[in-house]
Structures are given as structure tokens and as C-alpha cells.
Coordinates of all heavy atoms in Angstrom, one line a residue:
M22 N 180.3 168.5 -2.2 CA 178.9 168.2 -1.8 C 179.0 167.7 -0.4 O 179.8 166.9 0.0 CB 178.4 167.1 -2.7 CG 177.0 166.7 -2.4 SD 176.4 165.5 -3.6 CE 176.1 164.1 -2.5
S23 N 178.0 168.2 0.4 CA 177.9 167.7 1.8 C 176.6 167.0 2.1 O 175.6 167.4 1.4 CB 178.2 168.8 2.8 OG 177.1 169.7 2.7
I24 N 176.5 166.1 2.9 CA 175.3 165.4 3.2 C 174.9 165.8 4.7 O 175.7 165.6 5.6 CB 175.4 163.9 3.1 CG1 175.8 163.5 1.7 CG2 174.2 163.2 3.6 CD1 176.1 162.1 1.5
K25 N 173.7 166.3 4.8 CA 173.3 166.7 6.2 C 172.9 165.5 7.0 O 172.2 164.6 6.5 CB 172.0 167.6 6.0 CG 171.5 168.1 7.4 CD 170.3 169.0 7.2 CE 169.8 169.3 8.6 NZ 168.4 169.3 8.7
K26 N 173.5 165.4 8.2 CA 173.1 164.3 9.1 C 171.8 164.6 9.8 O 171.7 165.7 10.4 CB 174.2 164.1 10.1 CG 174.0 162.9 11.0 CD 175.2 162.5 11.8 CE 174.8 161.3 12.7 NZ 175.9 160.7 13.3
L27 N 170.8 163.7 9.7 CA 169.5 163.9 10.3 C 169.4 163.2 11.6 O 170.0 162.2 11.8 CB 168.4 163.4 9.3 CG 168.4 164.1 8.0 CD1 167.3 163.4 7.1 CD2 168.1 165.6 8.1
S28 N 168.6 163.8 12.5 CA 168.3 163.1 13.8 C 167.4 162.0 13.5 O 166.7 161.9 12.5 CB 167.7 164.1 14.8 OG 166.4 164.5 14.3
T29 N 167.2 161.1 14.6 CA 166.3 160.0 14.4 C 164.9 160.5 14.2 O 164.1 160.0 13.3 CB 166.3 159.2 15.7 OG1 167.7 158.7 15.9 CG2 165.4 158.0 15.6
D30 N 164.5 161.6 14.9 CA 163.1 162.1 14.7 C 163.0 162.7 13.3 O 161.9 162.5 12.7 CB 162.8 163.2 15.7 CG 162.5 162.7 17.1 OD1 162.3 161.5 17.2 OD2 162.6 163.5 18.1
E31 N 164.0 163.3 12.8 CA 163.9 163.8 11.4 C 163.8 162.6 10.4 O 163.1 162.7 9.4 CB 165.1 164.7 11.1 CG 165.1 166.0 11.8 CD 166.4 166.8 11.6 OE1 167.5 166.2 11.7 OE2 166.3 168.0 11.4
L32 N 164.6 161.6 10.6 CA 164.5 160.4 9.7 C 163.2 159.8 9.8 O 162.6 159.4 8.7 CB 165.6 159.4 10.1 CG 167.0 159.8 9.8 CD1 168.0 158.9 10.5 CD2 167.3 159.8 8.3
L33 N 162.6 159.6 11.0 CA 161.3 159.0 11.1 C 160.2 159.8 10.4 O 159.3 159.3 9.9 CB 160.9 158.7 12.5 CG 161.7 157.6 13.2 CD1 161.4 157.6 14.7 CD2 161.4 156.2 12.6
G34 N 160.4 161.2 10.5 CA 159.5 162.1 9.9 C 159.4 162.0 8.4 O 158.4 162.5 7.8
I35 N 160.4 161.5 7.8 CA 160.4 161.3 6.3 C 159.4 160.3 5.9 O 158.8 160.4 4.8 CB 161.8 160.9 5.8 CG1 162.8 162.1 6.1 CG2 161.8 160.6 4.4 CD1 164.2 161.7 5.9
N36 N 159.2 159.3 6.7 CA 158.2 158.2 6.3 C 156.8 158.7 6.3 O 156.5 159.7 7.0 CB 158.3 157.1 7.3 CG 159.7 156.4 7.3 OD1 160.3 156.3 6.3 ND2 160.2 156.1 8.5
K37 N 156.0 158.1 5.6 CA 154.5 158.4 5.6 C 153.8 157.2 6.2 O 154.2 156.0 6.0 CB 154.0 158.6 4.1 CG 154.4 159.9 3.5 CD 154.0 160.0 2.1 CE 152.5 160.0 1.9 NZ 152.1 160.2 0.5
F38 N 152.8 157.5 6.9 CA 152.0 156.5 7.6 C 150.5 156.6 7.2 O 149.9 157.7 7.2 CB 152.1 156.6 9.1 CG 153.5 156.5 9.7 CD1 154.3 157.6 9.8 CD2 154.0 155.2 10.0 CE1 155.6 157.4 10.3 CE2 155.3 155.0 10.4 CZ 156.1 156.1 10.6
F39 N 150.0 155.5 6.8 CA 148.6 155.4 6.4 C 147.9 154.6 7.5 O 148.0 153.4 7.5 CB 148.4 154.8 5.0 CG 149.1 155.6 4.0 CD1 150.4 155.2 3.6 CD2 148.5 156.6 3.3 CE1 151.1 155.9 2.6 CE2 149.2 157.4 2.4 CZ 150.5 157.0 2.0
V40 N 147.2 155.3 8.4 CA 146.8 154.7 9.7 C 145.3 154.2 9.5 O 144.5 154.9 9.1 CB 146.8 155.7 10.8 CG1 146.3 155.0 12.1 CG2 148.2 156.2 11.0
D41 N 145.1 152.9 9.8 CA 143.8 152.3 9.8 C 143.2 152.6 11.1 O 143.4 151.9 12.1 CB 143.9 150.8 9.5 CG 142.5 150.1 9.3 OD1 141.5 150.8 9.6 OD2 142.5 149.0 8.9
E42 N 142.4 153.7 11.2 CA 141.8 154.1 12.5 C 140.9 153.1 13.1 O 140.7 153.1 14.3 CB 141.1 155.5 12.3 CG 142.0 156.6 11.7 CD 142.9 157.2 12.7 OE1 142.9 156.8 13.9 OE2 143.8 158.0 12.3
D43 N 140.2 152.3 12.2 CA 139.2 151.4 12.7 C 139.8 150.0 13.1 O 139.0 149.2 13.6 CB 138.1 151.2 11.6 CG 137.4 152.5 11.3 OD1 137.3 153.3 12.2 OD2 137.1 152.7 10.1
N44 N 141.0 149.7 12.7 CA 141.5 148.4 12.9 C 143.0 148.4 13.3 O 143.9 148.3 12.4 CB 141.3 147.6 11.6 CG 141.7 146.1 11.8 OD1 141.7 145.6 12.9 ND2 142.0 145.5 10.7
P45 N 143.3 148.6 14.6 CA 144.7 148.7 15.0 C 145.4 147.3 14.7 O 144.8 146.3 14.9 CB 144.7 149.0 16.5 CG 143.3 148.8 16.9 CD 142.4 148.8 15.7
H46 N 146.6 147.4 14.1 CA 147.3 146.2 13.8 C 148.0 145.6 15.0 O 148.5 144.5 14.9 CB 148.2 146.3 12.6 CG 149.4 147.2 12.8 ND1 149.3 148.6 12.9 CD2 150.7 146.9 12.9 CE1 150.5 149.1 13.0 NE2 151.3 148.1 13.1
I47 N 148.2 146.4 16.0 CA 148.8 145.9 17.3 C 147.9 146.3 18.4 O 147.5 147.5 18.5 CB 150.2 146.5 17.5 CG1 151.2 146.1 16.3 CG2 150.8 146.0 18.8 CD1 152.5 146.8 16.4
V48 N 147.6 145.4 19.3 CA 146.8 145.7 20.5 C 147.5 145.1 21.7 O 148.1 144.0 21.6 CB 145.4 145.0 20.3 CG1 144.6 145.2 21.6 CG2 144.7 145.5 19.1
I49 N 147.5 145.9 22.8 CA 148.2 145.4 24.0 C 147.2 145.2 25.1 O 146.1 145.9 25.1 CB 149.4 146.3 24.4 CG1 148.9 147.7 24.8 CG2 150.4 146.4 23.3 CD1 149.9 148.6 25.5
D50 N 147.5 144.4 26.0 CA 146.7 144.2 27.2 C 147.4 144.9 28.4 O 148.4 144.5 28.9 CB 146.7 142.7 27.6 CG 145.8 142.4 28.8 OD1 145.7 143.2 29.7 OD2 145.2 141.3 28.8
K51 N 146.8 146.1 28.7 CA 147.5 147.0 29.7 C 147.6 146.3 31.1 O 148.5 146.7 31.8 CB 146.7 148.3 29.8 CG 146.9 149.1 28.5 CD 146.4 150.5 28.6 CE 146.7 151.3 27.4 NZ 146.4 152.7 27.5
D52 N 146.7 145.4 31.4 CA 146.8 144.7 32.7 C 148.1 143.8 32.7 O 148.8 143.8 33.7 CB 145.6 143.9 33.0 CG 144.4 144.7 33.3 OD1 144.5 145.9 33.7 OD2 143.2 144.3 33.0
K53 N 148.3 143.1 31.7 CA 149.5 142.2 31.6 C 150.7 143.1 31.5 O 151.7 142.8 32.1 CB 149.4 141.3 30.4 CG 148.4 140.2 30.5 CD 148.4 139.3 29.3 CE 147.4 138.1 29.6 NZ 147.3 137.3 28.4
C54 N 150.7 144.2 30.8 CA 151.8 145.1 30.7 C 152.2 145.7 32.1 O 153.3 145.9 32.4 CB 151.5 146.2 29.7 SG 151.3 145.6 28.0
S55 N 151.2 146.0 32.8 CA 151.5 146.7 34.1 C 152.1 145.6 35.1 O 152.9 146.0 36.0 CB 150.2 147.3 34.7 OG 149.3 146.3 35.1
D56 N 151.8 144.4 34.9 CA 152.4 143.3 35.8 C 153.8 142.9 35.3 O 154.6 142.3 36.0 CB 151.6 142.1 35.8 CG 150.3 142.3 36.5 OD1 150.2 143.2 37.3 OD2 149.3 141.5 36.3
C57 N 154.2 143.3 34.1 CA 155.5 142.9 33.5 C 156.6 143.7 34.2 O 156.6 144.9 34.4 CB 155.5 143.3 32.0 SG 157.0 143.0 31.2
K58 N 157.6 142.9 34.6 CA 158.8 143.5 35.3 C 159.8 144.2 34.3 O 160.3 145.3 34.5 CB 159.5 142.5 36.1 CG 158.7 141.8 37.2 CD 158.6 142.7 38.4 CE 157.8 142.0 39.5 NZ 156.4 142.2 39.5
E59 N 160.0 143.5 33.2 CA 161.1 144.0 32.2 C 160.6 145.2 31.4 O 161.4 146.1 31.2 CB 161.5 142.8 31.3 CG 162.2 141.7 31.9 CD 161.3 140.7 32.5 OE1 160.1 140.7 32.2 OE2 161.7 139.8 33.3
K60 N 159.4 145.2 30.9 CA 159.0 146.2 30.0 C 160.0 146.6 28.9 O 160.3 147.7 28.7 CB 158.6 147.5 30.8 CG 157.4 147.3 31.8 CD 157.1 148.6 32.5 CE 155.8 148.5 33.4 NZ 155.6 147.2 34.1
A61 N 160.4 145.5 28.3 CA 161.4 145.6 27.2 C 160.9 146.5 26.1 O 161.8 147.2 25.4 CB 161.8 144.3 26.7
C62 N 159.7 146.5 25.9 CA 159.1 147.3 24.7 C 159.5 148.8 24.9 O 159.6 149.5 23.8 CB 157.6 147.2 24.7 SG 156.8 147.6 26.3
L63 N 159.7 149.3 26.1 CA 160.1 150.7 26.3 C 161.4 151.0 25.6 O 161.7 152.1 25.3 CB 160.1 151.0 27.8 CG 158.8 151.0 28.5 CD1 159.1 151.2 30.0 CD2 157.8 152.0 28.0
Y64 N 162.3 150.0 25.6 CA 163.7 150.2 25.1 C 163.9 149.8 23.7 O 164.9 150.2 23.1 CB 164.6 149.4 26.1 CG 164.4 149.8 27.5 CD1 163.6 148.9 28.3 CD2 164.8 151.0 28.1 CE1 163.3 149.3 29.7 CE2 164.5 151.3 29.4 CZ 163.8 150.4 30.2 OH 163.5 150.8 31.5
V65 N 163.1 148.9 23.1 CA 163.5 148.3 21.8 C 162.7 148.9 20.7 O 163.2 148.8 19.5 CB 163.3 146.8 21.8 CG1 164.2 146.1 22.9 CG2 161.8 146.4 22.0
C66 N 161.6 149.5 20.9 CA 160.8 150.0 19.7 C 161.6 151.2 19.1 O 161.8 152.2 19.7 CB 159.5 150.5 20.2 SG 158.5 151.3 18.9
P67 N 162.0 151.0 17.8 CA 162.8 152.1 17.2 C 162.0 153.4 17.0 O 162.6 154.4 16.8 CB 163.2 151.4 15.9 CG 162.2 150.4 15.6 CD 161.8 149.9 16.9
A68 N 160.7 153.3 17.0 CA 159.9 154.5 16.8 C 159.5 155.1 18.2 O 158.8 156.1 18.2 CB 158.6 154.1 16.0
G69 N 159.8 154.4 19.3 CA 159.5 155.0 20.6 C 158.0 155.1 20.8 O 157.5 156.0 21.5
L70 N 157.3 154.1 20.4 CA 155.8 154.1 20.5 C 155.3 153.6 21.9 O 154.2 153.9 22.2 CB 155.2 153.3 19.4 CG 155.5 153.7 18.0 CD1 154.8 152.8 17.0 CD2 155.1 155.2 17.8
Y71 N 156.2 152.9 22.6 CA 155.8 152.5 24.0 C 156.4 153.5 24.9 O 157.6 153.8 24.9 CB 156.3 151.1 24.3 CG 155.7 150.0 23.4 CD1 156.2 149.7 22.2 CD2 154.6 149.3 23.9 CE1 155.6 148.7 21.4 CE2 154.0 148.3 23.1 CZ 154.5 148.0 21.9 OH 154.0 147.0 21.1
T72 N 155.5 154.1 25.8 CA 156.0 155.0 26.8 C 155.3 154.6 28.1 O 154.4 153.8 28.1 CB 155.6 156.4 26.5 OG1 154.2 156.6 26.2 CG2 156.4 156.9 25.2
I73 N 155.8 155.2 29.2 CA 155.2 154.9 30.5 C 154.8 156.2 31.1 O 155.5 157.2 31.1 CB 156.2 154.1 31.4 CG1 155.5 153.4 32.5 CG2 157.4 154.9 31.8 CD1 156.2 152.2 33.1
K74 N 153.5 156.1 31.6 CA 153.0 157.3 32.3 C 152.3 156.8 33.6 O 151.4 155.9 33.5 CB 152.0 158.0 31.5 CG 152.6 158.9 30.4 CD 151.6 159.7 29.7 CE 152.3 160.5 28.5 NZ 151.6 160.5 27.3
N75 N 152.7 157.3 34.7 CA 152.1 156.9 36.0 C 152.1 155.4 36.2 O 151.1 154.8 36.5 CB 150.6 157.4 36.1 CG 150.5 158.9 36.0 OD1 151.4 159.6 36.5 ND2 149.5 159.4 35.4
D76 N 153.3 154.8 35.8 CA 153.5 153.3 35.9 C 152.6 152.5 34.9 O 152.6 151.3 35.0 CB 153.2 152.8 37.4 CG 154.3 153.3 38.3 OD1 155.4 153.6 37.9 OD2 154.0 153.4 39.5
N77 N 152.0 153.1 34.0 CA 151.2 152.4 33.0 C 151.8 152.6 31.6 O 152.2 153.7 31.2 CB 149.7 152.9 33.0 CG 149.0 152.5 34.3 OD1 149.1 151.4 34.8 ND2 148.3 153.5 34.8
I78 N 151.8 151.5 30.9 CA 152.3 151.5 29.5 C 151.3 152.2 28.6 O 150.1 151.9 28.7 CB 152.6 150.1 28.9 CG1 153.7 149.4 29.7 CG2 152.8 150.1 27.4 CD1 155.1 149.8 29.3
T79 N 151.7 153.1 27.8 CA 150.8 153.7 26.8 C 151.5 153.4 25.4 O 152.7 153.3 25.3 CB 150.7 155.2 26.9 OG1 151.9 155.8 26.7 CG2 150.1 155.6 28.3
F80 N 150.6 153.2 24.5 CA 151.1 152.7 23.2 C 150.2 153.3 22.1 O 149.0 153.5 22.2 CB 151.0 151.2 23.1 CG 151.3 150.7 21.7 CD1 152.5 150.7 21.2 CD2 150.3 150.1 21.0 CE1 152.8 150.2 19.9 CE2 150.5 149.6 19.7 CZ 151.8 149.7 19.2
D81 N 150.9 153.8 21.0 CA 150.2 154.3 19.9 C 150.7 153.6 18.6 O 151.9 153.8 18.3 CB 150.3 155.8 19.8 CG 149.6 156.4 18.6 OD1 148.9 155.7 17.9 OD2 149.7 157.6 18.4
Y82 N 149.9 152.9 17.9 CA 150.3 152.1 16.8 C 150.5 152.9 15.5 O 151.0 152.5 14.5 CB 149.4 150.9 16.5 CG 148.0 151.4 16.0 CD1 147.7 151.4 14.7 CD2 147.0 151.7 16.9 CE1 146.5 151.8 14.2 CE2 145.8 152.1 16.5 CZ 145.5 152.2 15.1 OH 144.3 152.6 14.7
A83 N 150.1 154.2 15.6 CA 150.1 155.0 14.4 C 151.4 155.2 13.7 O 151.5 155.4 12.5 CB 149.5 156.4 14.7
G84 N 152.5 155.2 14.5 CA 153.8 155.4 13.8 C 154.7 154.2 13.7 O 155.9 154.2 13.6
C85 N 154.0 153.0 13.7 CA 154.7 151.8 13.7 C 155.5 151.5 12.4 O 155.0 151.8 11.3 CB 153.7 150.6 13.9 SG 154.4 149.0 13.9
L86 N 156.7 151.0 12.6 CA 157.6 150.7 11.4 C 157.5 149.3 11.0 O 158.2 148.9 10.1 CB 159.0 151.1 11.8 CG 159.3 152.5 12.2 CD1 160.7 152.7 12.8 CD2 159.1 153.4 11.1
E87 N 156.6 148.5 11.7 CA 156.3 147.1 11.3 C 157.5 146.2 11.4 O 157.7 145.3 10.6 CB 155.6 147.0 9.9 CG 154.4 147.9 9.9 CD 153.8 148.1 8.4 OE1 154.1 147.2 7.6 OE2 153.2 149.1 8.2
C88 N 158.4 146.5 12.3 CA 159.6 145.7 12.4 C 159.4 144.4 13.2 O 160.2 143.4 13.0 CB 160.7 146.5 13.1 SG 160.4 146.9 14.9
G89 N 158.4 144.3 14.1 CA 158.1 143.1 14.8 C 158.9 142.9 16.1 O 158.8 141.9 16.8
T90 N 159.8 143.9 16.4 CA 160.7 143.7 17.6 C 159.9 143.6 18.9 O 160.2 142.8 19.7 CB 161.6 144.9 17.7 OG1 162.3 145.1 16.4 CG2 162.6 144.7 18.8
C91 N 158.8 144.4 19.1 CA 158.0 144.4 20.3 C 157.4 143.0 20.5 O 157.4 142.5 21.6 CB 157.0 145.5 20.3 SG 155.9 145.5 18.9
R92 N 157.0 142.4 19.5 CA 156.4 141.1 19.6 C 157.4 140.0 20.0 O 157.1 139.1 20.7 CB 155.7 140.7 18.2 CG 155.2 139.3 18.2 CD 154.4 139.0 16.9 NE 155.3 139.1 15.8 CZ 154.9 138.6 14.6 NH1 153.7 138.1 14.4 NH2 155.7 138.7 13.6
T93 N 158.6 140.2 19.5 CA 159.7 139.3 19.8 C 160.1 139.4 21.2 O 160.4 138.3 21.8 CB 160.9 139.5 18.8 OG1 160.4 139.4 17.5 CG2 162.0 138.5 19.1
V94 N 160.2 140.6 21.7 CA 160.8 140.7 23.1 C 159.8 140.6 24.2 O 160.2 140.5 25.4 CB 161.6 142.0 23.2 CG1 162.7 142.1 22.2 CG2 160.7 143.2 23.1
C95 N 158.5 140.7 23.9 CA 157.5 140.7 25.0 C 157.4 139.3 25.6 O 157.1 138.3 24.9 CB 156.2 141.1 24.4 SG 154.9 141.1 25.7
T96 N 157.7 139.3 26.9 CA 157.7 138.0 27.6 C 156.4 137.8 28.5 O 156.2 136.8 29.1 CB 158.9 137.8 28.5 OG1 158.9 139.0 29.4 CG2 160.2 137.8 27.7
A97 N 155.6 138.9 28.5 CA 154.4 138.9 29.4 C 153.1 138.6 28.6 O 152.1 138.7 29.2 CB 154.3 140.3 30.1
E98 N 153.3 138.3 27.3 CA 152.1 138.1 26.5 C 151.2 139.3 26.6 O 149.9 139.2 26.5 CB 151.3 136.8 26.9 CG 152.2 135.5 26.8 CD 151.4 134.3 27.2 OE1 150.3 134.4 27.6 OE2 152.0 133.2 27.0
G99 N 151.8 140.4 26.6 CA 151.1 141.7 26.7 C 150.5 142.1 25.3 O 149.6 143.0 25.3
I100 N 151.1 141.6 24.3 CA 150.6 142.0 22.9 C 149.6 140.9 22.5 O 150.0 139.8 22.2 CB 151.8 142.1 21.9 CG1 152.8 143.2 22.4 CG2 151.3 142.3 20.5 CD1 154.1 143.3 21.6
T101 N 148.4 141.3 22.5 CA 147.3 140.3 22.2 C 147.0 140.2 20.7 O 146.3 139.3 20.3 CB 146.0 140.7 23.0 OG1 145.6 142.0 22.6 CG2 146.3 140.6 24.5
K102 N 147.5 141.2 20.0 CA 147.3 141.2 18.5 C 148.6 141.8 17.9 O 148.9 142.9 18.3 CB 146.1 141.9 18.1 CG 145.9 142.0 16.5 CD 144.7 142.8 16.1 CE 144.6 142.9 14.6 NZ 143.5 143.8 14.2
W103 N 149.1 141.2 17.0 CA 150.2 141.8 16.1 C 150.0 141.2 14.7 O 150.1 140.0 14.5 CB 151.6 141.4 16.6 CG 152.7 142.3 16.1 CD1 153.3 143.3 16.8 CD2 153.2 142.4 14.7 NE1 154.2 144.0 15.9 CE2 154.1 143.4 14.7 CE3 152.9 141.7 13.6 CZ2 154.8 143.7 13.5 CZ3 153.6 142.0 12.4 CH2 154.6 143.0 12.4
A104 N 149.7 142.1 13.8 CA 149.6 141.7 12.4 C 150.0 142.9 11.5 O 150.1 144.0 12.0 CB 148.1 141.4 12.1
Y105 N 150.4 142.6 10.3 CA 150.7 143.7 9.4 C 149.4 144.4 9.1 O 148.4 143.8 9.0 CB 151.4 143.2 8.1 CG 152.8 142.7 8.4 CD1 153.1 141.4 8.3 CD2 153.8 143.6 8.6 CE1 154.4 140.9 8.6 CE2 155.1 143.2 8.8 CZ 155.4 141.9 8.8 OH 156.7 141.5 9.1
P106 N 149.5 145.7 8.9 CA 148.3 146.5 8.5 C 147.7 145.9 7.2 O 148.4 145.4 6.3 CB 148.8 147.9 8.3 CG 150.1 148.0 9.1 CD 150.7 146.6 9.0
K107 N 146.4 146.1 7.0 CA 145.7 145.6 5.8 C 146.1 146.5 4.6 O 146.4 147.7 4.7 CB 144.2 145.8 6.0 CG 143.6 144.8 6.9 CD 142.0 144.9 6.8 CE 141.6 146.3 7.1 NZ 140.1 146.5 7.1
G108 N 146.0 145.9 3.5 CA 146.1 146.5 2.2 C 146.9 147.7 2.1 O 148.1 147.7 2.1
T109 N 146.3 148.8 1.9 CA 147.0 150.1 1.6 C 147.4 150.9 2.8 O 147.9 152.0 2.7 CB 146.1 151.0 0.8 OG1 144.9 151.2 1.5 CG2 145.8 150.4 -0.6
F110 N 147.2 150.2 4.0 CA 147.6 150.9 5.3 C 149.0 150.6 5.7 O 149.6 149.6 5.2 CB 146.6 150.5 6.4 CG 145.2 151.0 6.2 CD1 144.2 150.1 5.8 CD2 144.9 152.4 6.3 CE1 142.9 150.6 5.6 CE2 143.6 152.8 6.1 CZ 142.6 151.9 5.7
G111 N 149.6 151.4 6.6 CA 150.9 151.1 7.2 C 151.9 152.1 6.8 O 151.6 153.2 6.3
V112 N 153.1 151.7 7.1 CA 154.2 152.7 6.8 C 154.7 152.6 5.3 O 154.6 151.6 4.7 CB 155.5 152.3 7.7 CG1 156.0 151.0 7.4 CG2 156.5 153.4 7.6
E113 N 155.0 153.8 4.8 CA 155.6 153.9 3.5 C 157.0 154.5 3.7 O 157.1 155.7 4.1 CB 154.8 154.8 2.6 CG 155.4 154.9 1.2 CD 154.6 155.8 0.3 OE1 153.5 155.4 0.0 OE2 155.1 156.9 0.0
F114 N 158.1 153.7 3.6 CA 159.4 154.2 3.9 C 159.8 155.1 2.7 O 159.7 154.8 1.6 CB 160.4 153.0 4.0 CG 160.1 152.2 5.3 CD1 159.5 151.0 5.2 CD2 160.5 152.7 6.5 CE1 159.2 150.3 6.4 CE2 160.3 152.0 7.7 CZ 159.7 150.8 7.6
R115 N 160.4 156.2 3.1 CA 160.9 157.2 2.1 C 162.4 157.5 2.5 O 162.7 157.7 3.6 CB 160.1 158.4 2.2 CG 158.6 158.1 1.9 CD 157.8 159.3 2.2 NE 157.7 160.1 1.0 CZ 157.0 161.2 0.9 NH1 156.4 161.7 2.0 NH2 157.0 161.9 -0.2
Y116 N 163.2 157.4 1.5 CA 164.6 157.6 1.7 C 165.1 158.9 1.2 O 165.2 159.1 0.0 CB 165.4 156.4 1.1 CG 164.9 155.1 1.5 CD1 164.0 154.4 0.8 CD2 165.3 154.5 2.7 CE1 163.5 153.2 1.2 CE2 164.9 153.3 3.1 CZ 163.9 152.6 2.4 OH 163.5 151.4 2.8
G117 N 165.4 159.8 2.1 CA 166.0 161.1 1.7 C 165.0 162.1 1.1 O 163.9 162.0 1.1
Ligands
LIG229 FE1 157.7 149.6 17.5 FE2 158.5 147.7 15.7 FE3 156.7 147.1 17.6 FE4 156.1 148.8 15.5 S1 156.6 146.6 15.4 S2 155.5 149.1 17.7 S3 158.0 149.9 15.3 S4 158.8 147.6 18.0

């Protein structure tokens, strides 16, 4: 028996996400983010949800794994809201 090694994108693709379109559970302040020198969120988010385009941070909470790392490393108070998704929303981890 052999086990196929999956890429990070393939592993993340196994999960299911129930996105609350009306109530983002993470909100960022793009003005504070643009002033931030470190921009650690670009490097630590395991889902790669923080990206930079034309020197501006872009963020999409839809694929969030709810790990809390971005909230922990942000030193610029750029995250103005961080909460777990309500009720039946959020990530559903699936293994294999
Ligand atoms: Fe990325 Fe984790 Fe922050 Fe979600 S909580 S945006 S997965 S670092």
C-alpha cells in the first residue's frame, strides 16, 4: 500500500468552508496595514489569505482555518475584528 503525498493546496482543498457572506469574522484596517513595516501576516497565514498587490494588503477571510496566528503576530493593530465564525459557519476540517 502506498500513500500519495499531497501538496499544501491539495490538503487545503480537502477542507470545506461555510462562508458567512454577511458577517466577516476577520476585518482588517487597510490604512494601518499599509503603514505596517513587518507585514508578518503575509508570511504566517497557513492558508495564504494575506497577499500584497501594489503595496496594499489584500485579504479574503473565506478560506480561513481559524488558527488565530494573524491576530497573534499583528503588531500594527491592523486587525480590527477577529472572532470565530458564528454557528454553522467556518471551516470543516476533513482528513483524507
Ligand atoms: Fe490565516 Fe489563521 Fe489568520 Fe485565518 S486565523 S486568516 S488561517 S492566520
Side-chain angles (χ1 to χ4, degrees):
M22 181 175 117
S23 66
I24 297 174
K25 182 182 176 221
K26 183 170 180 167
L27 299 177
S28 68
T29 302
D30 284 345
E31 288 172 318
L32 288 168
L33 289 173
I35 293 170
N36 298 322
K37 282 176 67 177
F38 297 93
F39 301 93
V40 180
D41 186 348
E42 303 283 355
D43 298 326
N44 186 25
H46 68 286
I47 300 174
V48 177
I49 65 170
D50 181 332
K51 290 189 175 187
D52 290 334
K53 287 182 179 174
C54 296
S55 67
D56 290 341
C57 175
K58 299 278 184 272
E59 290 85 12
K60 294 182 176 37
C62 55
L63 294 174
Y64 306 100
V65 300
C66 175
L70 300 180
Y71 293 87
T72 56
I73 194 156
K74 285 189 183 137
N75 301 325
D76 290 335
N77 293 315
I78 295 280
T79 62
F80 173 68
D81 181 3
Y82 67 96
C85 179
L86 301 171
E87 302 168 27
C88 67
T90 308
C91 55
R92 178 174 60 169
T93 302
V94 301
C95 179
T96 56
E98 299 180 358
I100 297 172
T101 57
K102 176 184 177 187
W103 197 106
Y105 287 108
K107 286 189 306 185
T109 56
F110 293 108
V112 64
E113 179 180 295
F114 291 103
R115 303 169 87 182
Y116 305 97

